Amino acid sequence: MVTLREIAKECKVSVATVSKALNDMKDVSPETKEEIKNTARRLGYYPNSSARALKTNRTYNIGVLFVDESNSGLTHDYFAQVLDSFKKSVEKEGYDLTFINSTHNRNLTYLEHSRYRGVDGVVIACVDFDDPQVLELVRYDAIPVVTIDHVFDYRIAVMSDNIQGMHDLVEYAYSKGHRRMAYISGDDTAVTRNRVGSFVRSLEKHYIDTPEEYLISSAYRNPELAYKYTRQLLQLMDSPTCIFYPDDYSAIGGINAIRDVGLSVPDNISVVGYDGSYISQIMSPRLTTLRQDTAKIGSVAAEKLIHLIENPRTTLIQRFVMNGELVAGESVADIN
């Protein structure tokens, strides 16, 4: 096992200087820090986590609360990519991750599990934020928390700009001549409510009223329900020319329904997805969708949580909103 003394000998500096450099102390020059860190990596030095925990009074362990009610788990494209980015970012800073939602064996609440694991902080994503256990954890001041895609007044939140994203999609379809647009939305969450509100308001801006039968509450990542509700929309006397879906995966179910009644996309019906997943751009036709910046959402969530853990007195409680990018695709016809 490589020691600090060996690194100090190699770099011709004191052991104290090596310790300061590896702990990013300010009284070591950037050049010396870089030389020491490069030498440590080359020699295969790994800090002792127990010793570091005793010294800093931290475990360098971050909890992840992730409960996907559709049971797609980390195969959920959007959240899987967000958490992958989060994981890479925290590991660069020397932190490990622990999932704290598997509490059934010990009958622990989320807060109890977090305290049992001794996590320094928790990131919360894809949960029922009205769940009493979630609220208990969020309200517990002793554990720093960052939420993804949900806002609490007293916690840092990192989210995609769902309002602007939906507005951009509606404007795009409108520019192609569509006036009868329907929306099959996801589960009843803050994200869904923002998207539905933005969908309706964006159409109202063009003096277009949205019939109630054009707004259908469904679920995320559920192509079976998307299929069912698409068939329902197609049976209307005044059916829509363009159908919006809560995510790209659900849009596949909608496209199957359209094809099963002998119609085609986009020649007869146009289709719009959301998320900008990989599959959306290899399917035929390529899906018009909104690509969310999952890498930035994950990295910003990690940065803000670590800063809150390490600098609790100087960290501001803020909301960080990340812009998405409209992907035109081929699934929206120009009917002007």
Side-chain angles (χ1 to χ4, degrees):
M1 180 177 176
V2 179
T3 65
L4 296 185
R5 189 174 299 280
E6 291 174 90
I7 298 171
K9 183 178 180 181
E10 184 81 11
C11 296
K12 297 180 173 59
V13 296
S14 68
V15 173
T17 299
V18 172
S19 178
K20 289 178 181 180
L22 294 178
N23 285 284
D24 277 325
M25 303 294 285
K26 294 180 180 179
D27 52 348
V28 178
S29 71
E31 296 79 12
T32 301
K33 278 186 186 179
E34 184 177 2
E35 180 188 359
I36 290 171
K37 288 181 178 181
N38 287 338
T39 301
R41 281 193 290 270
R42 177 169 56 80
L43 295 177
Y45 170 78
Y46 296 97
N48 184 291
S49 58
S50 298
R52 182 172 65 157
L54 286 172
K55 182 178 179 181
T56 62
N57 199 31
R58 293 201 295 270
T59 64
Y60 290 88
N61 194 11
I62 289 177
V64 177
L65 177 52
F66 178 95
V67 182
D68 182 10
E69 293 182 352
S70 65
N71 295 317
S72 58
L74 289 178
T75 62
H76 189 304
D77 306 79
Y78 169 68
F79 284 108
Q81 291 169 23
V82 168
L83 292 179
D84 182 62
S85 172
F86 182 87
K87 176 178 180 289
K88 290 176 180 175
S89 298
V90 299
E91 287 178 345
K92 283 182 181 178
E93 300 300 321
Y95 286 79
D96 294 319
L97 294 185
T98 295
F99 281 83
I100 62 173
N101 48 309
S102 301
T103 61
H104 304 295
N105 291 337
R106 294 183 176 271
N107 295 316
L108 301 176
T109 66
Y110 298 141
L111 173 58
E112 288 169 342
H113 198 186
S114 299
R115 295 180 65 183
Y116 171 76
R117 292 293 183 182
V119 297
D120 293 326
V122 177
V123 62
I124 305 178
C126 195
V127 300
D128 175 3
F129 283 95
D130 294 322
D131 183 335
Q133 283 198 33
V134 175
L135 294 174
E136 179 189 36
L137 174 58
V138 169
R139 290 168 180 162
Y140 186 68
D141 291 337
I143 297 180
V145 167
V146 167
T147 59
I148 292 177
D149 274 345
H150 191 85
V151 176
F152 289 103
D153 290 339
Y154 42 89
R155 290 298 193 179
I156 293 173
V158 181
M159 57 208 314
S160 180
D161 194 340
N162 290 288
I163 295 174
Q164 185 63 45
M166 181 56 72
H167 174 75
D168 291 346
L169 289 172
V170 171
E171 286 296 313
Y172 179 79
Y174 183 87
S175 74
K176 295 293 185 179
H178 294 275
R179 303 296 181 264
R180 301 200 309 274
M181 303 181 215
Y183 185 22
I184 299 173
S185 61
D187 306 277
D188 184 19
T189 64
V191 169
T192 297
R193 290 190 286 272
N194 282 338
R195 290 185 191 176
V196 173
S198 180
F199 178 84
V200 173
R201 285 199 300 272
S202 297
L203 288 172
E204 286 178 347
K205 190 181 77 170
H206 296 291
Y207 305 100
I208 299 173
D209 291 328
T210 306
E212 284 300 320
E213 58 267 29
Y214 276 20
L215 295 174
I216 299 177
S217 180
S218 182
Y220 288 107
R221 289 184 59 83
N222 194 319
E224 291 80 12
L225 279 180
Y227 182 98
K228 171 188 172 181
Y229 291 131
T230 300
R231 293 289 294 259
Q232 181 177 310
L233 287 169
L234 295 177
Q235 290 169 4
L236 294 174
M237 184 173 295
D238 198 17
S239 60
T241 63
C242 183
I243 303 176
F244 287 60
Y245 293 89
D247 54 80
D248 300 336
Y249 194 58
S250 294
I252 295 173
I255 291 172
N256 288 339
I258 292 167
R259 288 172 175 168
D260 282 354
V261 298
L263 302 176
S264 67
V265 178
D267 296 333
N268 304 116
I269 302 288
S270 292
V271 166
V272 174
Y274 210 101
D275 287 342
S277 61
Y278 172 74
I279 195 172
S280 72
Q281 299 307 297
I282 61 171
M283 58 191 290
S284 181
R286 288 186 298 108
L287 191 62
T288 298
T289 185
L290 197 290
R291 180 179 293 126
Q292 303 194 72
D293 195 343
T294 53
K296 191 169 185 181
I297 292 170
S299 63
V300 169
E303 173 194 338
K304 300 306 175 184
L305 182 54
I306 290 174
H307 193 274
L308 181 59
I309 291 168
E310 299 182 352
N311 306 279
R313 294 184 177 181
T314 60
T315 301
L316 300 178
I317 304 303
Q318 295 175 288
R319 182 188 310 180
F320 300 89
V321 181
M322 310 298 146
N323 294 326
E325 174 192 6
L326 189 144
V327 180
E330 304 163 335
S331 63
V332 176
D334 192 331
I335 60 174
N336 286 304

